Amino acid sequence: PSVPSPTMNSDYRTVLDDATLEHVVESLRDVERFALDLETTSRNPMEAAIVGIAISPRPLLGFYIPVGHDALGVPAQLPLERVLEALRPLIEAESPEIIGQNLKYDLTILKRYGVAPRGIRFDSMIASHLLRPDERHHDLATIVRTYLGQETISYDEVAGRNGSFAAVSVDAATRYAAEDAEVVQRLYPLLMTGLRETGLVRLFEDVEIPLVPVLARMERNGILVDCNVLAEQGAVLRKELAILESDLFDIAGGPFNPNSPKQVAEILFGRLKLPVISRTKTGPSTSADVLAELAVAHPLPGKLIAYREVAKLLTTYIDLLPKAVNPRTGRIHTSFHQTSTATGRLSSSDPNLQNVPTRKEVGGRIRQAFVAPAGSVLLGADYSQIELRVLAHLSGDENLIAALTRGMDLHRLTASHVFSVPEAAVTASQRDAAKRINFGILYGISPFGLAREIGTSHSEAKAYIERFFSAYPGVRVFVEECIRRATECGYAETLLGRRRPLRDIGSRDVTRRNFDRRNAVNTPIQGSAADLIKLAMIDIDRRISSEMWPARMLLQIHDELVFEAEEETADIVAAAIRESMENVLSLRVPLEVKVSAGRHWGEI
């Protein structure tokens, strides 16, 4: 495909011989920072091979070193090994600084090739996300369009929609790749100025950038999967699905497709005459919420919920997880993302391991397939009630602080206040309802939402929320202050200064306004908890490396970290992990971490 020329007076050069390579290396020796970008054969960093390396020592100057192009008429290229050896002293030094876009990807690939970057100091993707966390896209083209007001050459323009970069001509590749590196040089001062003006530099430099190599290491570590266990669980689940399907047909009075919303609606609202709760554009809704409400009146909706749960486990996990196993390592290497949530929480994809059901659900058996290798165990280190502890710290509520400091059962205590019974007399169902109230308050739950959550009337739910605030008056003040401050500033802020814009907090649209009011309360709590565990991950990774722990960090699942440790020293490592997590930041209440060990993920 034809490739447009760069829109500015830029100088992009191809490096095809040793003399030019030496010139590039020399040009990097005295710079404060250089931009780095790899061109590869795959988006998967565990499989990608390097096709070329782009470097920019300063704005408007970029070099492209092709090493793996196989297009017709391609000129002779330098061997990759020679290029990496020439660049290694610079890439592995603390200075000059390395800057780029989505450097975790490049870091993972370079480590596979035996090169260990050390001076990573700036990532335009992460800076963009911190400045605009409510935006969905932080790809380089979008960032350049936003901050530089220009269009970049797209991958599709040089390689076609599904084309291989190795088949791209060297001239076209140079214009595309050198630009990708060079524009980061021009973005650097603009984004850093934005971070300084919004007080985000410390969060960027002390948390998000140091986390990049930690996440890259976790992705490379992966987690071992026993596909035989998945196959066994699949056989069990398929039998369960067949039984559920048979039950559904018996209750409905004939066969139908449980996966068809249209056929399900016809059975529920046509044949069984159940009330229509809500509608979609295509007809009566058969969503999970609707089925849960209808299940009180008829057995079919409850069976449908169970059927959908088992079917989802099969399609989402049993059938797909074996395909995600890397044949070389026998492990699943998920990707962790720092720029996909407005609160700062990490997310996971390819596959998403943060949504694997817990052991309390039917799907807990899926976790049994994630195992430790021989001679090792998995360790699960979980922050206990981290968001309630952050709430206690931020609100300063004396009763909440006292309960958590004394190690009291907070859910039982809340139940005692809400249901007006002595703590000793609190029933299991009352404690469970109080737990839902405690966590519901964090998410700005309404009386209507709470009523549906715990199965009570709107007026009772409203009274429960009032009693909660009476028991913890500092929380009421905190909630009101969060909303007042966010209305005044237009954003909510975490303990470490992470900001989330709340543009609709003063909107006339009630739904939008209430959504942002809830986020004004939830963001400081959930975002601060996310920042805390990131700090813990950075500290633990440093200690694993510097203190030579026989352990590897594998996964982060919201408030939990999963490790692999040698069986003989697992207790020592577990104690050290707990120490790091509990002391990562000083709050008004103690942080509490539970660490458990097991042969598979289900046991922890």
Side-chain angles (χ1 to χ4, degrees):
S2 62
V3 181
S5 298
T7 55
M8 291 190 67
N9 185 26
S10 48
D11 181 5
Y12 297 156
R13 309 175 191 174
T14 311
V15 179
L16 292 170
D17 56 59
D18 288 313
T20 314
L21 177 62
E22 182 57 34
H23 168 71
V24 172
V25 171
E26 283 300 318
S27 73
L28 298 178
R29 293 197 196 282
D30 298 323
V31 300
E32 193 174 339
R33 66 189 60 88
F34 68 90
L36 176 70
D37 182 55
L38 301 183
E39 299 304 332
T40 65
T41 57
S42 171
R43 290 184 177 182
N44 183 341
M46 290 301 296
E47 297 174 357
I50 297 175
V51 176
I53 302 171
I55 285 173
S56 172
R58 59 176 170 81
L60 300 181
L61 176 61
F63 297 100
Y64 180 62
I65 313 167
V67 294
H69 286 265
D70 55 15
L72 285 173
V74 69
Q77 301 159 76
L78 290 167
L80 175 60
E81 294 77 14
R82 192 184 307 167
V83 172
L84 289 178
E85 283 310 306
L87 295 174
R88 182 191 297 277
L90 292 159
I91 294 176
E92 293 190 338
E94 289 287 351
S95 178
E97 298 174 357
I98 299 173
I99 66 175
Q101 164 81 5
N102 190 18
L103 282 169
K104 176 164 65 66
Y105 173 85
D106 305 85
L107 174 57
T108 298
I109 295 169
L110 286 169
K111 286 286 284 185
R112 283 181 40 234
Y113 279 88
V115 179
R118 291 186 66 193
I120 291 174
R121 294 292 182 273
F122 175 85
D123 190 310
S124 50
M125 181 177 74
I126 295 170
S128 170
H129 176 256
L130 285 181
L131 291 169
R132 299 157 66 88
D134 51 343
E135 298 292 330
R136 291 187 62 191
H137 301 291
H138 299 282
D139 56 282
L140 192 58
T142 300
I143 301 171
V144 169
R145 194 177 302 121
T146 302
Y147 290 93
L148 297 177
Q150 74 175 71
E151 294 297 321
T152 54
I153 304 166
S154 74
Y155 183 89
D156 288 356
E157 285 173 309
V158 292
R161 185 170 293 276
N162 297 307
S164 164
F165 201 79
V168 174
S169 75
V170 166
D171 285 346
T174 296
R175 292 196 293 277
Y176 168 79
E179 180 186 64
D180 271 6
E182 183 271 321
V183 291
V184 175
Q185 286 280 12
R186 282 186 275 144
L187 287 170
Y188 174 84
L190 300 174
L191 291 169
M192 285 304 297
T193 297
L195 293 173
R196 274 191 291 273
E197 289 174 348
T198 49
L200 290 165
V201 171
R202 181 177 165 232
L203 180 68
F204 181 73
E205 293 183 345
D206 294 352
V207 181
E208 295 298 342
I209 291 299
L211 191 65
V212 170
V214 177
L215 295 177
R217 194 157 17 252
M218 289 167 66
E219 290 179 5
R220 290 196 308 277
N221 288 341
I223 186 166
L224 194 61
V225 176
D226 189 333
C227 289
N228 292 328
V229 172
L230 283 175
E232 290 167 9
Q233 299 293 4
V236 172
L237 288 172
R238 285 186 177 87
K239 286 178 184 176
E240 286 185 20
L241 200 66
I243 293 168
L244 285 167
E245 188 177 69
S246 176
D247 290 346
L248 284 171
F249 294 169
D250 288 344
I251 298 168
F256 68 99
N257 182 0
N259 299 310
S260 165
K262 185 179 179 183
Q263 290 187 35
V264 167
E266 287 171 0
I267 298 288
L268 293 176
F269 310 115
R271 189 181 301 177
L272 300 178
K273 308 296 182 189
L274 292 174
V276 175
I277 305 295
S278 64
R279 291 184 175 274
T280 65
K281 292 178 181 177
T282 56
S285 172
T286 61
S287 68
D289 287 344
V290 167
L291 293 180
E293 206 164 326
L294 293 174
V296 179
H298 197 279
L300 186 69
K303 283 283 183 187
L304 270 168
I305 291 172
Y307 177 92
R308 285 182 179 179
E309 284 178 354
V310 175
K312 184 179 179 181
L313 290 172
L314 281 167
T315 55
T316 307
Y317 301 109
I318 298 293
D319 295 340
L320 292 184
L321 285 178
K323 297 174 184 175
V325 175
N326 185 303
R328 186 172 51 83
T329 65
R331 292 171 173 257
I332 283 181
H333 302 269
T334 188
S335 294
F336 292 103
H337 307 288
Q338 292 171 263
T339 62
S340 59
T341 69
T343 58
R345 270 191 166 190
L346 296 175
S347 67
S348 150
S349 70
D350 306 314
N352 181 354
L353 295 185
Q354 294 192 332
N355 282 355
V356 176
T358 65
R359 63 175 178 269
K360 292 179 182 176
E361 303 168 17
V362 178
R365 62 185 70 174
I366 303 291
R367 293 190 171 207
Q368 295 174 20
F370 294 84
V371 298
S376 296
V377 293
L378 295 183
L379 297 175
D382 191 9
Y383 273 118
S384 174
Q385 301 176 339
I386 182 66
E387 291 178 347
L388 289 171
R389 292 172 192 275
V390 170
L391 173 62
H393 174 80
L394 292 173
S395 69
D397 182 86
E398 292 178 2
N399 295 336
L400 203 51
I401 290 171
L404 289 167
T405 302
R406 293 172 191 159
M408 297 170 70
D409 183 336
L410 190 61
H411 302 319
R412 183 173 294 278
L413 180 64
T414 297
S416 173
H417 290 303
V418 167
F419 299 110
S420 303
V421 297
E423 280 185 65
V426 170
T427 65
S429 61
Q430 286 174 329
R431 184 186 181 280
D432 184 61
K435 182 178 180 179
R436 292 166 188 265
I437 293 168
N438 280 337
F439 287 108
I441 295 297
L442 302 177
Y443 294 90
I445 199 165
S446 65
F448 174 78
L450 181 61
R452 193 166 66 174
E453 181 84 11
I454 64 176
T456 189
S457 69
H458 180 272
S459 59
E460 277 189 325
K462 189 175 181 181
Y464 293 159
I465 291 174
E466 272 305 309
R467 287 178 203 158
F468 174 94
F469 284 128
S470 295
Y472 309 112
V475 175
R476 186 197 297 273
V477 174
F478 167 73
V479 168
E480 291 170 352
E481 178 62 16
C482 281
I483 294 169
R484 185 200 65 77
R485 197 184 307 126
T487 303
E488 192 177 282
C489 302
Y491 60 83
E493 201 170 35
T494 71
L495 265 172
L496 298 188
R498 184 186 303 277
R499 292 184 180 184
R500 179 179 187 176
L502 300 171
R503 296 185 175 88
D504 291 321
I505 198 158
S507 171
R508 292 182 178 180
D509 185 312
V510 176
T511 303
R512 288 184 173 186
R513 183 173 70 244
N514 286 342
F515 180 74
D516 269 5
R517 284 165 70 96
R518 286 193 295 273
N519 283 331
V521 179
N522 174 244
T523 297
I525 299 167
Q526 191 182 104
S528 295
D531 291 343
L532 274 171
I533 200 164
K534 286 178 177 178
L535 285 172
M537 292 165 71
I538 293 164
D539 185 59
I540 291 168
D541 181 79
R542 177 189 59 78
R543 293 185 66 183
I544 286 175
S545 174
S546 63
E547 299 174 27
M548 304 292 287
W549 293 0
R552 299 198 285 182
M553 189 155 40
L554 309 184
L555 301 176
Q556 191 261 24
I557 314 293
H558 305 313
D559 303 331
E560 177 189 18
L561 296 175
V562 178
F563 301 84
E564 191 176 276
E566 289 182 10
E567 196 169 3
E568 288 182 3
T569 53
D571 289 345
I572 298 169
V573 170
I577 289 168
R578 183 186 293 109
E579 181 197 10
S580 277
M581 292 177 72
E582 290 183 343
N583 294 290
V584 73
L585 205 63
S586 179
L587 302 184
R588 298 184 197 186
V589 293
L591 292 172
E592 187 178 306
V593 173
K594 297 175 181 175
V595 184
S596 51
R599 295 287 178 189
H600 58 73
W601 194 5
E603 286 184 342
I604 62 171

